[in-house]
Amino acid sequence: MPNPPAISIRALEKTYRRRGKGSTKHALKGIDLDIPQGSLFALLGPNGAGKSTLINIMAGLVLKTSGQVTIWGTDLDEDPRRTRASIGVVPQELNIDAFFTPRALLDLQAGLYGVPKADRRTEALLETVGLTDKADSYARTLSGGMRRRLMVAKAMVHSPPILVLDEPTAGVDIELRQQLWANVRDLNRQGVTVLLTTHYLQEAEELCDRIAIIADGQVRANDTKEALLARLDGKELYVTLALPLPAPLPPALTALGAQPVSGDTLLFRHRRLDGLVPRVLAALAEAGLAIADLRTAEADLEDVFLQLTRPVATGNQAA
Ligand code: ADP
Ligand code: MG
């Protein structure tokens, strides 16, 4: 039997009520989501999709309206203390006291979580996030990327099995982004389940093994990166033969993923067409099949992402 999910979310709803103004915002509209143990999971979606709301509910920072959230086997409603102990959260907004040093900050946080002195991993955490050299510098002297990494270390002081990062690289320059990603990958390799939100497709694609696409408070897609990319990858090659398709198809063509789409036309789907086209042509020639027509179609990942996250046409306009 596979392990139970690290996080399990069922029928989760959130409506923000703005007191006084009487306006409301239906931010989460029935979210069902499982985050597998050990995964590096991206919650990908445009601004306003509901990502931070979802994260903040898990972290106990926002109250859900209805639905069920189970974290590391514990229901959020039954034992919020325990669920909080199971996740470390790096919030979207960084607020670090400028006059703390990384070492002092990590010690303080460990104290808040009741981690005994003997069990503290301050030095190891500083090392993991590459801040050993800066351990005793005031936080105000750290760059944006260093602060973000310090927040990752801070989220990990109580050794939670799950690390949650909300928009980890927003506002972090490219060089430091690479280092942060390396830190996150390291933690994941050490067995930590990582959930991050991002509105950068590239970040989800490069860093994560599973991606859920969320838009307008709903999950639009949820799959392994490979399956999602295969599904989203719109690079298509249509080959129409001079004669009806042979049955069965020559194995060389099936091996290239040929799918019959009509009596005389085959479709090949691929991430990239370069490389595929010559192989298809060679396989057809070898099978003695003449080509009547050849057509390619492509939608790039960004297009399909936009397509999946486009607002559904309802009267319910976002604020
Ligand atoms: P994301 O993190 O994906 O950008 P959020 O979860 O921050 O999205 O926001 C989802 C929606 O809920 C947005 O329309 C946002 O304006 C609204 N929202 C977020 N927080 C509040 C709040 N405290 N009060 C009212 N509306 C909110
Ligand atoms: Mg957000």
Side-chain angles (χ1 to χ4, degrees):
M1 241 200 58
N3 288 330
I7 298 174
S8 178
I9 293 165
R10 291 293 174 270
L12 184 64
E13 298 268 345
K14 174 63 187 180
T15 301
Y16 288 106
R17 300 191 186 285
R18 297 183 184 117
R19 281 213 202 219
K21 284 197 238 162
S23 64
T24 60
K25 172 69 200 175
H26 197 181
L28 297 180
K29 302 173 178 174
I31 301 280
D32 289 307
L33 199 60
D34 283 332
I35 315 296
Q37 279 187 37
S39 59
L40 219 172
F41 197 108
L43 212 53
L44 173 68
N47 285 325
K51 303 180 299 295
S52 293
T53 300
L54 185 54
I55 297 284
N56 290 337
I57 289 172
M58 292 173 194
L61 301 170
V62 165
L63 287 178
K64 63 185 165 64
T65 302
S66 63
Q68 194 181 21
V69 177
T70 308
I71 295 172
W72 214 246
T74 301
D75 188 309
L76 184 67
D77 290 333
E78 279 164 23
D79 196 343
R81 272 182 75 101
R82 186 152 164 190
T83 56
R84 259 204 298 282
S86 301
I87 60 176
V89 180
V90 182
Q92 187 168 353
E93 305 300 333
L94 296 185
N95 42 6
I96 298 179
D97 190 314
F99 293 98
F100 271 106
T101 67
R103 183 176 277 125
L105 187 75
L106 296 186
D107 266 335
L108 177 75
Q109 183 77 359
L112 286 176
Y113 272 92
V115 182
K117 281 233 160 58
D119 296 342
R120 292 191 188 171
R121 304 183 305 140
T122 306
E123 301 311 317
L125 282 169
L126 287 168
E127 174 90 44
T128 301
V129 299
L131 287 176
T132 305
D133 291 351
K134 296 279 180 184
D136 299 310
S137 308
Y138 285 135
R140 68 184 155 88
T141 69
L142 304 181
S143 69
M146 289 175 180
R147 286 180 199 202
R148 186 73 64 168
R149 273 147 46 208
L150 177 56
M151 294 298 277
V152 171
K154 185 181 167 203
M156 294 303 298
V157 292
H158 57 298
S159 308
I162 305 168
L163 174 65
V164 177
L165 304 120
D166 198 2
E167 302 276 353
T169 58
V172 173
D173 65 51
I174 289 176
E175 200 179 315
L176 294 167
R177 183 178 305 175
Q178 293 300 337
Q179 187 158 5
L180 181 74
W181 287 3
N183 296 157
V184 168
R185 281 199 195 93
D186 271 352
L187 287 166
N188 182 246
R189 254 182 245 118
Q190 291 165 27
V192 176
T193 301
V194 177
L195 171 64
L196 63 87
T197 76
T198 181
H199 62 278
Y200 299 116
L201 182 67
Q202 194 204 356
E203 183 165 37
E205 187 179 347
E206 281 189 32
L207 192 58
C208 297
D209 52 27
R210 291 191 69 95
I211 301 175
I213 293 179
I214 174 169
D216 193 27
Q218 293 165 312
V219 175
R220 297 277 168 85
N222 173 19
D223 222 322
T224 61
K225 178 169 66 186
E226 285 71 25
L228 199 61
L229 290 178
R231 200 172 107 194
L232 296 185
D233 275 341
K235 311 274 169 147
E236 298 173 329
L237 172 66
Y238 291 89
V239 180
T240 303
L241 301 182
L243 294 170
L245 297 176
L249 285 175
L253 289 176
T254 352
L256 291 169
Q259 301 167 38
V261 288
S262 75
D264 62 358
T265 301
L266 292 171
L267 166 62
F268 300 84
R269 273 210 184 89
H270 220 257
R271 282 208 69 180
R272 286 199 208 87
L273 287 178
D274 48 289
L276 179 71
V277 175
R279 283 191 289 154
V280 168
L281 295 181
L284 288 167
E286 188 145 313
L289 300 170
I291 299 168
D293 187 29
L294 195 141
R295 184 167 66 81
T296 63
E298 57 182 275
D300 90 358
L301 208 53
E302 194 75 37
D303 289 342
V304 188
F305 170 61
L306 290 174
Q307 201 179 316
L308 276 169
T309 56
R310 196 166 40 207
V312 180
T314 66
N316 188 0
Q317 288 298 308

